[in-house]
Amino acid sequence: MTITSSRITEAEINELISKLHALLPEARRSTRRASAAKLLKETCSYIMSLHREVDDLSDRLSLLITNMDVTSSQAEIIRSLLR
Amino acid sequence: MHATKEFNKKGFFKQFLLGLRISKSFTTNPISIEQRKNSIKLSSDLAMAFARGRTHWTRALISKLGGKEENTTMLKGIMGRRYGILMAIYSYPLPHQKVQRGKKIVRSYRFCSGANKRRALKGSCNRVSPSIVARNLVNRRTKVLKRLVPGGELLNGSSLLSETLDYVISLKAQVDMMKSLWKATQISSSRNVELDPSASCQGRKLLMLANSKDEFQLFKKS
């Protein structure tokens, strides 16, 4: 393998592909056909669905957070979640 | 790579809440739901990008969001005095500075399509070899992916893949964060959780049930 450090090996690409494959939710995974085109299509549609979810959640939050003020009790709950 | 997002949850929430507070101070009452939604979305995207740190896609995203006229006040509020410095750090290469595309692929494609045309003219049925079809499909879908991932247009091959991986992980985390915020808000508004020990304890128990497994782990000690 006369590959310089800047060249990406095929093994690394395969690793990236399998990681991406693992990220997709179960419903979208077809364990049999992990072809490049299939993976790209599923990744694209997954990203779009995540965008839609963010949009939807912003919608719902905008209804709940009425005056753009996250109250102290909510902030406390969230902070305790993170501890 | 998967582990790092755990540590950024705090950072994300901090940025997100800050963004919400900033947008409140800049808007007049009454604020329309549309505006509120846009502020929330903007705060969330910025928080996700800032919490991740400096990668290709975060720079592209922040540049894109910061480039919009209506967002500058918000960004200035969030970044404060560091606005100038941070925008310079997160500045993104201009469109004309393109990465050299894989010319080899284009050349060999032209080669093959020429050969195919000759074959078709010779009278054989108009078959396109499956490898050409597959390559076309991959190219088309790669173009779509490039449009979806911020900064994707300038990337190729494995760097595009690794940026996509990172971006998807961050998006997932963003969605999870917003879901927990939503659940927390729902619970606190419906139950009116006050900050006295017994009630907050009950509130936490409710949240334990409502939330996902990894957040449950955080509660094990309490």
Side-chain angles (χ1 to χ4, degrees):
Chain A
M1 280 207 300
T2 55
I3 298 177
T4 64
S5 54
S6 55
R7 285 265 289 274
I8 313 286
T9 64
E10 185 160 339
E12 285 171 15
I13 292 188
N14 284 333
E15 199 194 324
L16 283 173
I17 290 179
S18 59
K19 274 189 190 163
L20 207 49
H21 192 68
L23 266 187
L24 300 177
E26 272 306 324
R28 292 172 184 268
R29 271 191 245 174
S30 55
T31 45
R32 279 164 281 145
R33 302 167 288 168
S35 71
K38 218 36 178 211
L39 177 71
L40 282 174
K41 175 182 154 200
E42 291 303 328
T43 309
C44 289
S45 58
Y46 186 45
I47 291 180
M48 285 195 283
S49 80
L50 284 174
H51 283 166
R52 273 190 302 243
E53 258 199 277
V54 170
D55 209 58
D56 178 56
L57 279 166
S58 321
D59 258 329
R60 286 194 257 170
L61 278 173
S62 69
L63 293 173
L64 284 182
I65 302 182
T66 41
N67 50 357
M68 294 303 293
D69 215 356
V70 180
T71 65
S72 54
S73 59
Q74 292 164 0
E76 180 61 33
I77 291 175
I78 293 165
R79 258 179 238 121
S80 62
L81 272 175
L82 295 174
R83 253 175 244 134
Chain B
M1 215 195 304
H2 296 257
T4 54
K5 204 56 193 178
E6 294 305 313
F7 302 110
N8 284 326
K9 279 185 178 176
K10 262 189 182 166
F12 178 93
F13 264 128
K14 199 171 132 193
Q15 293 283 351
F16 191 25
L17 296 183
L18 175 64
L20 292 180
R21 235 175 283 145
I22 299 288
S23 60
K24 180 190 184 205
S25 61
F26 278 113
T27 55
T28 55
N29 276 324
I31 181 176
S32 73
I33 290 192
E34 185 70 32
Q35 271 181 302
R36 220 187 290 153
K37 179 206 164 172
N38 289 336
S39 307
I40 290 177
K41 194 157 176 219
L42 179 63
S43 305
S44 174
D45 286 337
L46 284 175
M48 171 178 73
F50 277 122
R52 178 58 190 86
R54 279 175 59 195
T55 66
H56 191 90
W57 68 265
T58 53
R59 286 163 62 206
L61 184 60
I62 291 175
S63 300
K64 185 176 82 170
L65 291 175
K68 291 189 187 163
E69 194 69 42
E70 60 265 23
N71 293 339
T72 34
T73 39
M74 170 85 151
L75 274 169
K76 279 184 183 161
I78 292 178
M79 301 196 224
R81 267 174 285 152
R82 302 174 297 157
Y83 177 68
I85 301 170
L86 280 174
M87 284 311 283
I89 293 176
Y90 282 96
S91 72
Y92 193 63
L94 299 168
H96 64 260
Q97 297 168 5
K98 278 194 178 161
V99 170
Q100 178 166 52
R101 304 214 172 222
K103 289 183 182 164
K104 282 186 197 164
I105 301 173
V106 178
R107 229 179 280 139
S108 65
Y109 170 65
R110 285 214 193 111
F111 237 90
C112 290
S113 78
N116 274 325
K117 279 185 188 158
R118 267 179 262 128
R119 241 181 277 142
L121 286 172
K122 276 187 182 171
S124 56
C125 60
N126 200 4
R127 259 171 303 159
V128 185
S129 85
S131 61
I132 305 290
V133 173
R135 207 184 311 173
N136 273 351
L137 203 55
V138 168
N139 285 341
R140 243 187 297 149
R141 289 186 178 159
T142 310
K143 276 201 198 122
V144 176
L145 185 64
K146 283 185 180 193
R147 259 182 275 139
L148 283 175
V149 174
E153 277 115 10
L154 299 193
L155 294 173
N156 269 320
S158 63
S159 26
L160 178 64
L161 276 181
S162 63
E163 284 293 312
T164 309
L165 199 61
D166 202 64
Y167 184 52
V168 169
I169 293 173
S170 300
L171 274 180
K172 269 181 157 183
Q174 182 192 26
V175 166
D176 285 336
M177 294 286 125
M178 289 180 79
K179 270 189 193 157
S180 358
L181 175 59
W182 180 61
K183 280 173 187 163
T185 316
Q186 261 196 321
I187 289 171
S188 81
S189 64
S190 63
R191 293 283 188 144
N192 237 343
V193 176
E194 291 305 316
L195 276 182
D196 61 310
S198 53
S200 68
C201 187
Q202 190 179 37
R204 279 186 214 175
K205 281 187 187 158
L206 287 167
L207 281 171
M208 274 166 63
L209 295 170
N211 279 323
S212 56
K213 271 180 284 178
D214 50 342
E215 271 138 8
F216 181 72
Q217 300 298 328
L218 289 169
F219 269 94
K220 262 189 181 171
K221 21 185 180 161
S222 63

